Amino acid sequence: MKTTPLTENLIQLTRLRFVNAYLVREDDGLTLVDTTTRGSADALIAAASAAGAPIRRVALTHGHGDHVGSVDALKERLGDSAEVLMPELDARIHAGEKVVDGKLPGSWPTLKTCPDQVLRAGDRVGSLEVIATPGHSPGHVAFRDTRDNSVIAGDTYTTYGKAAVSNHFYWRFPLAAMATWDKAKDLESARTLRGLEPSLLAVGHGRAIRQPAAAMDAAIARAGR
Ligand SMILES: [Zn+2]
């Protein structure tokens, strides 16, 4: 697990050079945003230890396997000391409910863990504000740190080479578009995130971008073509 400090409150954790999770520093410990793929629990806990605080919450941007892959193993190791928070619609999909018509792309592995709390637009997770960004998955959310306006955008954008909206195929990371449920909503969510004027854009796949306005504008322009 590669560790990249981004701000005083935000640490990027990268597994297999392809998928990111994040540690967000709070007064009572750490919020882990996403868990990467299966088999990452020990490395995520070790990264939290290295950051000097316990994981208090595991907050998920969406329900796809490359983000929830280590939730069960983390819950087993952390028990009641950490709560699991998942966007409402994606939690209902994981619970077996049919919440959308038609085919649901992306991987939806079976989870043992029921979230302790579901996330809705406007909720707070410590310092993070929940931003509804449906499209890549039905319930997809982003997290805005109210302290410095950095944004953890999940898979609405990827940033391999340059920022790209996951509503269309981009040769550097075609998996993102293949897993996207509703391309129009995804683009609308990309615009929502741009409207937040983030100071930093952190994503599920790729590097973080500081002062990302121009990169996001260019990505939205390419995506809308
Ligand atoms: Zn992903």
Side-chain angles (χ1 to χ4, degrees), residues 51-72:
I55 296 171
R56 293 293 187 203
R57 288 160 294 273
V58 179
L60 302 160
T61 58
H62 62 297
H64 287 165
D66 55 329
H67 299 256
V68 304
S70 287
V71 165
D72 284 344

Side-chain angles (χ1 to χ4, degrees), residues 5-220:
L6 296 175
T7 72
E8 60 180 309
N9 298 318
L10 184 61
I11 300 167
Q12 180 176 14
L13 307 174
T14 307
R15 178 133 201 257
L16 305 172
R17 299 179 67 184
F18 114 96
V19 60
N20 300 320
Y22 293 90
L23 290 170
V24 179
R25 220 176 268 288
E26 298 285 359
D27 289 342
D28 67 348
L30 296 161
T31 299
L32 174 67
V33 175
D34 288 343
T35 72
T36 79
T37 48
R38 268 174 79 106
S40 306
D42 288 338
L44 292 166
I45 290 169
S49 299
I55 296 171
R56 293 293 187 203
R57 288 160 294 273
V58 179
L60 302 160
T61 58
H62 62 297
H64 287 165
D66 55 329
H67 299 256
V68 304
S70 287
V71 165
D72 284 344
L74 281 165
K75 192 66 187 171
E76 243 165 55
R77 286 169 179 69
L78 300 172
D80 291 338
S81 68
E83 55 172 6
V84 174
L85 307 93
M86 191 190 282
E88 184 183 15
L89 277 181
D90 287 16
R92 285 167 55 189
I93 292 166
H94 270 290
E97 205 179 314
K98 185 170 169 57
V99 302
V100 297
D101 291 330
K103 193 175 164 290
L104 201 54
S107 86
W108 295 87
T110 304
L111 295 181
K112 274 191 293 183
T113 306
C114 282
D116 300 291
Q117 198 186 314
V118 294
L119 298 172
R120 301 187 183 94
D123 284 353
R124 286 286 291 265
V125 180
S127 302
L128 304 178
E129 179 192 0
V130 175
I131 312 290
T133 47
H136 182 66
S137 75
H140 192 284
V141 299
F143 297 100
R144 183 180 80 90
D145 195 318
T146 54
R147 295 168 293 192
D148 61 6
N149 214 31
S150 57
V151 168
I152 302 172
D155 283 5
T156 303
Y157 289 88
T158 62
T159 60
Y160 286 105
K162 56 191 170 189
V165 181
S166 57
N167 72 332
H168 65 293
F169 280 90
Y170 174 47
W171 65 275
R172 291 290 299 269
F173 197 65
L175 284 174
M178 287 167 65
T180 294
W181 161 66
D182 186 313
K183 293 173 167 50
K185 285 190 170 67
D186 193 45
L187 177 54
E188 202 45 52
S189 292
R191 291 197 176 100
T192 298
L193 293 177
R194 169 65 182 89
L196 298 175
E197 300 280 353
S199 61
L200 178 142
L201 179 71
V203 297
H205 305 276
R207 71 200 160 85
I209 300 178
R210 290 172 203 280
Q211 304 304 332
M216 293 171 90
D217 283 341
I220 288 167

